[in-house]
Amino acid sequence: MITETLVVKERFTNYPDDSFTLARGLTTGAYEGLLKVLKDHTPEEVVEMVKQSGLRGRGGAGFPSGAKWSFVPKDVFPKYVVVNDDEGEPCTFKDRELTERDPHAIIEGALICAYAIGAEAVFIYVRGEFALGVRRLYAAIDEATEQGFIGERIAGSDFSCKVIVHRGAGAYICGEETALLESLEGYRGQPRLRPPFFPAIKGLYHQPTVVNNVETLATVPHIVNRGVDWFRSMGTEKSPGPKIFSVSGCVQRPGNYELPLGTPMRDLLQIAGGLPEGRSFKAVIPGGASAPWLDSLDMTMDFEALGAAGSMLGSGSVIFLDDSTCAVRMAYISTRFFNHESCGKCTPCREGTWWSVKVMERIEHGEGRPEDLAILLDVCDQMSAPGPTYMPKGQCFCALGDSQAWSLRSAINLFRDEFEQHIQEQACPFPLEARLTVSSRSKAP
Amino acid sequence: MIDLKRQATEIVERYPEGRSRSALLPLLHRAQERDGYLSEDAMVEVASILKLTTAEVRSVATFYSMYHLKPKGRHVISVCHNIACSLKGAEQLIDGIEKHLGIVPGETTSDGVFTLERVECLAFCDRAPMLQVDYDTMHGPVHAHSVETLLSRLEPEPDQFDMFAPEFLPEDS
Ligand SMILES: Cc1cc2nc3c(=O)[nH]c(=O)nc-3n(C[C@H](O)[C@H](O)[C@H](O)COP(=O)(O)O)c2cc1C
Ligand code: SF4
Ligand code: FES
């Protein structure tokens, strides 16, 4: 039996009814990490602690959090912390659950970060559709303000900080940190040029800003409370600590499972109840729809191993596909998503995703042409030249375009036979799936 | 009735001085909550409150999928058609709703009660297939046969599901 390693999930797993309240938080250690750093540590020490812990960002890129915090200049004011709670990566649902069930953990982590970099305000950018999460955050901020954890001279220290909730309005691209900042400033959410707009130097309102993912920040209080050695006792040398994996697709018990990084993928499948009865494994998308597909279960869930396998850990959401799944249909849905969410700022992505979805649509609907696979691969190469997947190639303005190319190219490479069969037979060979592709009265956009 | 001007004052105060443009998204949410959609008049009003041009406001309003520039039904039913939901029957669910309501995604029923739309992943994939009502309550797993019960529960009480979750601002009287 594989059991979870409950760290970030611990409070809401043990107290599912009221884990989001401050009353419950206070009986389970909430804000102890904040009080500890205010009392015992200088800001520099906190940055150093997070550096030593080896914590890497949980939002997709896996960037070392301590290093990110250390890039913020000391002598420039004002500075800001922005919490990336815009979770939109297909099949990632950990940040929504955390926001709804443990908002105080997010606030505490963000305040520790604000103290460490000398920020005067925290902005929590929440995905617009997370209505319950927004309500829980507002309520949590009220409670924490009343208790003196937010506001002027927190807990009698010299540290003052505000926390502001900012609700998005529906756009996946606003999860990209510079697009998020544009959106927070009241503009269309389109990415900014780097350099000069590295958030740590020129972020929100062009001031130094740390943008971190919800789960990254919710992990920080545990590092403060239990120490760097404890954190490093889990996971691998380069990917230490626990991670929440959102497991979905063809599994019997989809859900968020917290396990050390470096856990074998087979264990993850097992803890999620395995594949449906009588089905066999076909493929796995290991890091949200942006990650290249893999057709093997023999690897561990960490940044290094998935990178070496030609994919990436991404947001840590794992989609299992069984043998009843049509690979072409899944690639079509994924392409349709990236096309829908392309912000239109740069030509390779705006045009590339648009043409790719047209071609994918006709292949899946039995109208594919012999030249279609070559067209698709050519478009992929124009959006992102072949090479290591974790490196955006710079042809597209941001990594959304690269992600589309990585994902579609991997699907074609792994399941070329199936794509060709669709084209030769002018039909989807998965009879049930084919019926499900388009509902009877409307054509999927 | 929501008083946008009053709301604006309070929303603008949340942001650093001189950064009133940050209030644009929250204010558009409030305008939509007031009118049910974002009318041309509302965009002109928001523009004048924040001292922006109407074109600036429109360019933002058209970028985000949650803002509706045309009137919609009292209830918006958003069905996810992304990977996890598709694997669990999202298209059958959409088909079932289409048959029950007699509309396709993008349309509103003739009595003005329901608008149906397809949406991308709403981070509720462990309960696929799922749908969201009025950008608020998420339901899942929802199957075609339970659609009728679910929708009939919404119909008689249009106010039970707040259109656009409250921003927790003081009520206007
Ligand atoms: C297209 C795109 C979408 C993204 N969406 C998200 C998201 O929803 N949530 C998130 O935390 N990071 C997202 N990211 C990554 C952010 O740009 C950024 O790296 C992250 O918020 C940094 O936080 P971390 O270091 O704590 O992971 C996205 C990146 C791209 C290119
Ligand atoms: S790659 Fe796509 S999403 Fe990114 S800037 Fe270009 S058009 Fe926008
Ligand atoms: S795929 Fe439907 S909610 Fe995520």
Side-chain angles (χ1 to χ4, degrees), chain A residues 80 87-93 96-97 123 125 127-132 134-135 138 162 164-171 173-174 183-190 205 247-251 254-256 285 289 319-321 325 329-330 333-334 336-337 340-341 343 436-445, chain B residues 13-16 18-26 29 33 52 56 58-67 81-92 94-96 98-99 101-105 107 118-128 132 134-138 162 164-169:
Chain A
Y80 303 107
E87 185 176 60
E89 183 66 34
C91 305
T92 311
F93 43 95
R96 180 191 51 74
E97 179 156 36
F123 290 87
Y125 187 103
R127 184 167 173 187
E129 293 91 338
F130 291 175
L132 179 59
V134 171
R135 285 195 286 262
Y138 273 110
K162 296 202 287 184
I164 298 117
V165 173
H166 187 91
R167 189 168 165 223
I173 189 59
C174 292
S183 179
L184 185 39
E185 290 184 21
Y187 294 88
R188 295 162 75 88
Q190 292 183 310
Y205 309 123
V247 185
S248 69
C250 306
V251 294
N256 283 320
I285 315 178
I319 311 163
F320 288 101
L321 305 178
T325 313
R329 180 172 142 67
M330 288 307 122
I333 292 174
S334 164
R336 182 179 65 189
F337 166 77
H340 185 258
E341 302 300 338
C343 80
L436 299 186
T437 301
V438 178
S439 58
S440 57
R441 301 186 59 246
S442 73
K443 233 173 137 76
Chain B
E13 265 174 18
R14 300 177 194 168
Y15 299 93
R19 306 296 182 185
S20 60
R21 181 154 179 162
S22 281
L24 181 50
L25 262 65
H29 276 307
E33 199 179 324
L52 299 168
E56 283 172 313
R58 201 181 298 116
S59 88
V60 169
T62 51
F63 186 83
Y64 297 94
S65 65
M66 286 173 72
Y67 298 131
H81 70 173
N82 211 304
I83 297 175
C85 289
S86 282
L87 287 167
K88 298 286 170 84
E91 293 302 333
Q92 285 151 310
I94 294 172
D95 195 41
E98 288 177 354
K99 289 206 173 90
L101 295 179
I103 51 169
V104 297
E107 292 179 350
R118 287 172 172 269
V119 293
E120 298 300 347
C121 176
L122 285 173
F124 209 66
C125 331
D126 49 342
R127 273 159 285 177
Q132 186 175 33
D134 298 340
Y135 299 107
D136 193 328
T137 316
M138 300 192 185
D162 240 13
F164 296 94
E167 290 266 357
F168 278 78
L169 289 167

Side-chain angles (χ1 to χ4, degrees), chain B residues 77 93 97 100 114 131-133 138-140 142-143 145-156 161:
Chain B
I77 311 295
L93 173 59
I97 300 176
H100 179 69
F114 293 108
L131 59 78
Q132 186 175 33
V133 176
M138 300 192 185
H139 298 267
V142 186
H143 292 287
H145 57 80
S146 51
V147 160
E148 199 170 334
T149 333
L150 182 75
L151 296 187
S152 65
R153 257 193 281 141
L154 299 181
E155 237 161 327
F161 294 85

Side-chain angles (χ1 to χ4, degrees), chain A residues 73-146:
Chain A
K74 287 203 169 55
D75 48 355
V76 183
F77 295 95
K79 292 182 266 205
Y80 303 107
V81 172
V82 173
V83 184
N84 190 339
D85 197 355
D86 194 44
E87 185 176 60
E89 183 66 34
C91 305
T92 311
F93 43 95
K94 61 189 180 68
D95 298 340
R96 180 191 51 74
E97 179 156 36
L98 262 169
T99 308
E100 291 172 359
R101 306 184 66 181
D102 201 353
H104 287 291
I106 303 167
I107 296 168
E108 182 184 3
L111 288 169
I112 294 173
C113 176
Y115 172 71
I117 66 158
E120 63 171 48
V122 168
F123 290 87
I124 307 179
Y125 187 103
V126 204
R127 184 167 173 187
E129 293 91 338
F130 291 175
L132 179 59
V134 171
R135 285 195 286 262
R136 292 265 160 91
L137 280 170
Y138 273 110
I141 289 168
D142 282 350
E143 287 179 321
T145 307
E146 193 150 311

Side-chain angles (χ1 to χ4, degrees), chain A residues 14-58:
Chain A
N14 291 343
Y15 302 98
D17 297 334
D18 60 358
S19 57
F20 53 89
T21 63
L22 184 59
R24 177 55 70 197
L26 291 177
T27 69
T28 50
Y31 297 101
E32 275 173 18
L34 175 66
L35 298 180
K36 189 169 167 193
V37 298
L38 292 180
K39 198 160 126 290
D40 301 338
H41 295 286
T42 63
E44 292 75 19
E45 284 168 5
V46 180
V47 173
E48 190 54 30
M49 191 190 314
V50 175
K51 254 193 190 163
Q52 292 302 327
S53 76
L55 174 66
R56 296 175 65 169
R58 269 50 170 150

